[in-house]
Amino acid sequence: MTTARYPKSVFWSDEDGAYVAVAPDLPGCSAIGDTGPAAIAELDDTIASWLEAAAKAGNPIPKPSNPEK
């Protein structure tokens, strides 16, 4: 399954002092970066790791939802 199919969102976090990117379909899957695009790039790696870990553990892997249009 490709990471590009999972919706992503990014926002600025004053608490973290960085941009935070999240994959809403994957519980706990998030990444931070100095810029929005950097946070998304980090999130792509995090999604891949999340999917791999879930598969190895035998946990269910949610299908990507349709992003809002």
Side-chain angles (χ1 to χ4, degrees), residues 1-8 23 25-26 47 51 61-64:
M1 194 172 296
T2 178
T3 65
R5 301 184 96 193
Y6 284 92
K8 302 165 185 115
D25 293 339
L26 306 174
I47 290 171
L51 295 172
I61 297 175
K63 292 186 182 206

Side-chain angles (χ1 to χ4, degrees), residues 43-64:
L43 183 61
D44 286 333
D45 292 340
T46 304
I47 290 171
S49 295
W50 194 103
L51 295 172
E52 182 180 340
K56 282 184 180 178
N59 293 334
I61 297 175
K63 292 186 182 206

